[in-house]
Structures are given as structure tokens and as C-alpha cells.
Amino acid sequence: MATLGMSEAEREAIGRFDVDVIQPSMTNLVILQFTAEWCGPCKQLSPILDKVAGDYASKGVKLVRVDVDKEKLIAAQFRIQSIPTVYAFHQGQPVVDMTSYRTEGQITRVLDQVLGQLKLESPEAEQAAQVEPLIAMAEQVLAEGDAERAVNIFRQIHEMAPDDDEVIGGLLRALLANGQVDEAGAMLDALDPTLAGKPAISRAKAAIELAGAAPDGIETSELETRVTANPDDLEARFELAGVAVSGKRDLAADMLLGIIDRDRDWHEGKARERFLQLLEAEGIADPWSREQRRRLSALLFT
């Protein structure tokens, strides 16, 4: 917008528009709503735009409002004849006229289409790119058995990305491996319910529940002797699996599959439930878990 011959107030208006809309649009998608205090339809649309902009903020979407009565120059530049008028801006230019979209569903559909074409580098994506190699390093340290160091690394990553479910899940499993069971349980209980269904959180939860279900005061050797003496002692097999889930996953899997092979409905399918929990704790995509799932399928379907 040219500023030659404009008053100081008009230049200030152009400057505000540049700061609020043009500059952010260089890396984001800016939803620009022209509105006014007296506009009834604007008041109906504004809460919807607020919600959508909040939901899409992590994807690089920002909402800006221009009051046509207070910013008459800007409204004139865009030849605003009726309100609400809504545009989506990117790299300093309007890319979509969103004025006709008035419901949340309509607005989200058009945003999904536009974002799919623009492929913005959202703050969420930038953070993920920074955090991903750090998570991999922490997971490697945990896999190598240095649980204390893994806890420290995951704590540092958690400070950077407190809402990242992969980070939270890794920290929970590291705490558990380091013997900090109470802290892991308390952290899990305090999580936002919306995170509960995330695979990384479900995996950590399964591991914590398995640790909590392990019988106390029973030696592995004692239970192994009972199973050797009586392979059909399913209670001994189940208790041995409970002890073995920490550090002896092959033995735990063998014991649980042995129960399923002998009586798949034992205690209303308790062994199968515990077996699937073990696989979830190890990670469903883990090669070991995939192999154990094949073993289970062979028992159930042959």
C-alpha cells in the first residue's frame, strides 16, 4: 500500500496492518475478519472464527480483526461494502475469500484445503523437528539400560515440549525403569485426559500397570520350580509372568502363551489380556511384539 501523500494517522494505520497482517502472513495463514461493533452477523461469526483459529493455531493459522469504523483507510483499500468480510492471507496476499463460509465445518474444510496446498512450516512442525532427534537419543540410552540418564534427558526434552505425547511417554517409561514407580504413576494420573488415548501414553500406562500388578516377595526361581514340577499349574505360570515382565519379556510371553494354550478362557481370558498388555508396554510396532502377536494368532486360529 502506497503511503505518499497520506496523513500521519493513515500511515500509522498502514503500519499497524503491516505488523498485524502482512508480516505474520509471510510464514502463517492469517484469517482477516472485517467487522464492526454494530454488526449482528459479525457477532455470530466471531466466536466460530475464534474457536477455529484456536484449534488451528499450532498449524500456523492466526486470526486478525479489523474494525471498519476505526480503520476506514484499510476498509477502503479492500473496498469493503458489507460485513462480515473474511479473507485468508498468505505471503502478503489474500489467497481465499472466506466470506461465504459461516459454519465451523465449512471453515475448517476450506482451511484444510488451503493448508494442504501451502504446506506451512507450523510452530508444531518446527518443534517436532527439533525434538525428534533428542527423543531418539533418549530412547537409545533407555534401551541400553541407563535409566537414570534417560530420565534426565527426557526431563530436559519435556521442558522444551511439555505437551508432546512421545516425550511424556518416554519419560514415564524411563522413570519406571529407574524404579521411580510412584512418580511415574502420579505423573500419569495428572495428565490431561485428551492425552490418554495417545499410543505413547498408552504404552507407558501399560508398562506402569504391569509393574503394579507384579507379585511381591516371590522369587523367579521358586515359581520356575513350581511350573517345571507341574506345567499345568496355571496360577504359577501367571505369577511367573508377572515377575518376569521386568527384564525377562521372553519368559513372561512364554508363560502367558502357555496358559492360553492350555485354557484360553482361564479366569475370563486374564492371561490373554495380560499378554496384550505386555505387547503394548513393549510397543505395538516393536519387532518382538509383532513376533509375539504371530505366536498368539497361531494358538488361537490353528
Side-chain angles (χ1 to χ4, degrees), residues 206-222:
I208 292 170
E209 289 177 349
L210 281 174
D216 294 325
I218 302 179
E219 296 293 332
T220 303
S221 57
E222 176 187 339

Side-chain angles (χ1 to χ4, degrees), residues 37-55:
E37 291 287 342
W38 47 264
C39 174
C42 299
K43 293 178 180 178
Q44 294 177 337
L45 179 61
S46 291
I48 298 173
L49 289 177
D50 285 337
K51 182 179 185 304
V52 172
D55 292 343

